[in-house]
Amino acid sequence: MKPVKPASSAYLDRRRQEVEHFLAHEALGTRSEYRLDEAMRYSLLNGGKRLRPLLTLAACDAVGGLREHALPFAAAVEMIHTYSLIHDDLPAMDDDMLRRGKPTNHVVYGEALAILAGDALLTEAFHVIARCSRANGLSGQRAMRALGEIAAAAGARGMVAGQAADMEAEHHEVDLPTVEFIHIRKTGELIRAAVRSGAIVGGASDPQLRALTRYADCLGLGFQVADDVLDVAASSKVTGKTRGRDQQRHKATYPAILGAGAARARALELISEAVAALKPLGSKAGPLRTIATGVSTRL
Ligand code: GRG
């Protein structure tokens, strides 16, 4: 595994600040006094790692694109991720009280407003793309193509399908192909769209887009397998009360099927495949390499 390059870490810190600024000041338009606005900001500006928007910006940079073209797409992907977390935490789903160490959206704002905050974040994600792309001169063709990638990844054949399959799996014994089906959709699709949308708005060639797609697919699955492995370690320390239903029910995870050691090895293998896929992109893909190795150092 390659050591983390200081140049890439500084790059990622800078890009993270740009993402935070854009999310806080541009993505939701002007502030309003409504509680809905407050509920949306509560979860959107709540200290996530910003993995997905960083992937969008780094993919755009890796193909020599313009950062201002990628930022609205980066924000949109994070807004969709945030909506999915709000809804996933609801009593009807995982029934979680804590997210990132703070009370979940429905605990603070009530269930009805949390549902609406999620709905609004999903819709505003597409609004920010439309609004900013018109203003910053991104070609309509590129914007529409990248937007389609994000919509498909989030929708009925992507993330929502993964969540539905995960809920189904709760009542059955599941095999590895089923777990993979769930992981790829629930987590992998949005990560793939984060990378591909950045590459598309940046003007990637077909070979560049193929390499980045392979990177994203390996990273997306590797990230979720790593998350499963870390969850097993965490759940032995934390009670079901704070971890929610997710931790108490039968779960479709890699460690549950393969065992923790083999699941960890699979995650590491996927991450090194992600890094290998970046070879054709050369040194401009340094930050994407750093993001991938950052996932494996958590293990
Ligand atoms: C409700 C439609 C709908 C979908 C929910 C994202 C999701 C699907 C469920 C959340 C539960 C879960 C474990 C999802 C797997 C993806 C994942 C590891 C999410 C956490 O992503 P991070 O680590 O979170 O990037 P931060 O907090 O850094 O943003």
Side-chain angles (χ1 to χ4, degrees):
M1 197 195 320
K2 278 195 164 184
V4 172
K5 275 205 219 146
S8 287
S9 303
Y11 163 97
L12 290 172
D13 287 344
R14 256 195 336 272
R15 291 287 181 264
R16 197 175 285 109
Q17 280 166 20
E18 286 164 9
V19 167
E20 292 297 343
H21 187 272
F22 191 90
L23 289 174
H25 301 285
E26 307 275 345
L28 297 179
T30 47
R31 257 193 117 97
S32 90
E33 75 278 15
Y34 295 112
R35 256 171 87 73
L36 173 63
D37 194 60
E38 190 186 312
M40 289 162 75
R41 287 174 198 273
Y42 176 80
S43 292
L44 187 62
L45 308 174
N46 188 13
K49 292 185 291 296
R50 310 306 193 195
L51 168 76
R52 296 156 190 77
L54 287 174
L55 285 170
T56 307
L57 297 183
C60 178
D61 283 338
V63 299
L66 291 178
R67 186 166 74 258
E68 61 266 32
H69 286 167
L71 256 175
F73 291 83
V77 168
E78 187 68 5
M79 290 158 81
I80 292 170
H81 169 61
T82 305
Y83 122 75
S84 80
L85 297 179
I86 296 173
H87 281 195
D88 188 64
D89 289 335
L90 287 168
M93 298 223 184
D94 273 349
D95 195 13
D96 264 302
M97 308 290 280
L98 291 175
R99 164 77 51 193
R100 301 173 182 149
K102 295 189 192 133
T104 44
N105 199 290
H106 66 272
V107 167
V108 179
Y109 295 99
E111 232 179 296
L113 200 58
I115 292 171
L116 293 175
D119 292 342
L121 281 164
L122 173 60
T123 314
E124 289 299 322
F126 295 103
H127 188 197
V128 75
I129 290 175
R131 186 161 37 88
C132 297
S133 299
R134 219 174 32 234
N136 70 24
L138 174 64
S139 98
Q141 206 181 15
R142 278 188 197 172
M144 201 49 83
R145 190 173 167 208
L147 182 148
E149 295 269 337
I150 295 172
R157 303 252 152 93
M159 185 175 69
V160 178
Q163 182 77 347
D166 196 20
M167 284 162 49
E168 283 285 312
E170 205 176 322
H171 309 292
H172 305 284
E173 278 298 315
V174 286
D175 54 11
L176 200 60
T178 308
V179 174
E180 207 160 281
F181 176 96
I182 293 168
H183 283 7
I184 288 171
R185 279 154 193 81
K186 194 169 128 174
T187 310
E189 289 274 356
L190 197 59
I191 287 181
R192 173 192 247 242
V195 171
R196 281 179 58 93
S197 62
I200 290 166
V201 301
S205 65
D206 286 346
Q208 283 175 326
L209 192 57
R210 266 198 301 280
L212 287 167
T213 304
R214 168 101 188 120
Y215 163 82
D217 286 346
C218 293
L219 179 70
L221 187 55
F223 177 76
Q224 181 59 62
V225 178
D227 197 69
D228 284 354
V229 172
L230 294 168
D231 242 16
V232 172
S235 62
S236 59
K237 293 187 205 134
V238 187
T239 68
K241 247 188 204 154
T242 54
R243 301 284 300 175
R245 189 155 67 228
D246 216 24
Q247 293 298 316
Q248 297 156 28
R249 64 176 161 101
H250 171 76
K251 268 206 83 184
T253 69
Y254 265 69
I257 292 174
L258 294 179
R264 183 175 178 276
R266 180 70 182 131
L268 291 173
E269 185 183 55
L270 284 161
I271 300 303
S272 54
E273 281 173 31
V275 172
L278 294 172
K279 201 157 182 234
L281 289 146
S283 64
K284 279 193 157 180
L288 291 171
R289 272 183 207 101
T290 303
I291 293 173
T293 52
V295 172
S296 46
T297 48
R298 287 167 70 213
L299 284 169

